């Protein structure tokens, strides 16, 4: 499969970063204390945010990225042009979230925001995080 790499414009990137940082404030991370904020940009310009929500039955925890993607999809969105994730350390999305993203994107610029480094951000491509991903059709 040929993957077309896209990148974000400055204004979109700034909006996404801001949304991810703000979403992180709503994280429910009672057990890990590790708060994550995510924001995904649909191709019509709408941003959907998410934060991680933990549970006393630990396996029921849902990551910020999946909250954001599922919120967007439930609102009728199917095409995405960017994702920002805000964490302490500027970490990449977990494997489960990568697979959920693969349902909707073959390529996606992902902005990783390190809240410990004055919200410094670096951009990675989805295809670099999950090459040769599993997709039906
Ligand atoms: N977490 C996310 O929200 N996104 C990821 O990509 C990895 C992990 C959350 C889940 C849990 O609430 C906490 O971070 C520690 O694993």
């Amino acid at each position: 499969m040929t993957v077309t790499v896209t990148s974000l414009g400055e204004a979109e990137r700034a909006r996404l970063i801001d949304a991810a940082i703000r979403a992180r404030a709503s994280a429910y991370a009672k057990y890990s204390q590790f708060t994550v904020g995510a924001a995904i940009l649909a191709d019509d310009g709408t941003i959907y945010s998410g934060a991680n929500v933990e549970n006393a039955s630990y396996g029921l925890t849902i990551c910020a990225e999946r909250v954001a993607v599922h919120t967007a999809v439930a609102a009728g969105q199917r095409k995405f042009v960017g994702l920002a994730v805000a964490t302490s350390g500027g970490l990449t999305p977990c494997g489960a979230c990568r697979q959920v993203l693969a349902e909707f994107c073959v390529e996606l610029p992902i902005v990783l925001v390190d809240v410990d480094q004055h919200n410094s951000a670096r951009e990675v491509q989805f295809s670099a995080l999950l090459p040769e991903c599993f997709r039906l059709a």
Side-chain angles (χ1 to χ4, degrees):
M1 178 191 293
T2 307
V3 170
T4 306
V5 172
T6 55
S7 67
L8 287 162
E10 270 312 307
E12 292 170 321
R13 182 182 156 101
R15 281 174 65 217
L16 261 187
I17 290 173
D18 185 55
I21 291 168
R22 279 188 287 109
R24 182 169 167 266
S26 300
Y28 179 75
K30 184 176 181 179
Y31 304 100
S32 73
Q33 310 300 322
F34 190 78
T35 56
V36 183
I40 193 158
L41 177 64
D43 70 343
D44 70 354
T46 309
I47 289 176
Y48 298 84
S49 299
N52 54 326
V53 181
E54 299 188 346
N55 191 276
S57 178
Y58 299 162
L60 298 183
T61 291
I62 184 163
C63 295
E65 296 91 326
R66 274 177 286 155
V67 173
V69 173
H70 289 163
T71 300
V73 172
Q77 302 288 357
R78 298 290 186 271
K79 291 185 179 157
F80 302 105
V81 295
L83 172 73
V85 184
T87 59
S88 169
L91 306 184
T92 56
C94 77
C97 290
R98 293 177 198 196
Q99 182 61 36
V100 167
L101 286 165
E103 187 68 25
F104 302 99
C105 317
V106 287
E107 194 48 279
L108 187 73
I110 301 178
V111 183
L112 304 170
V113 183
D114 186 349
V115 299
D116 293 339
Q117 300 294 329
H118 309 289
N119 296 330
S120 68
R122 74 181 175 99
E123 198 167 310
V124 295
Q125 288 292 331
F126 174 73
S127 61
L129 297 183
L130 193 63
E132 300 191 33
C133 59
F134 175 72
R135 290 171 63 93
L136 295 177

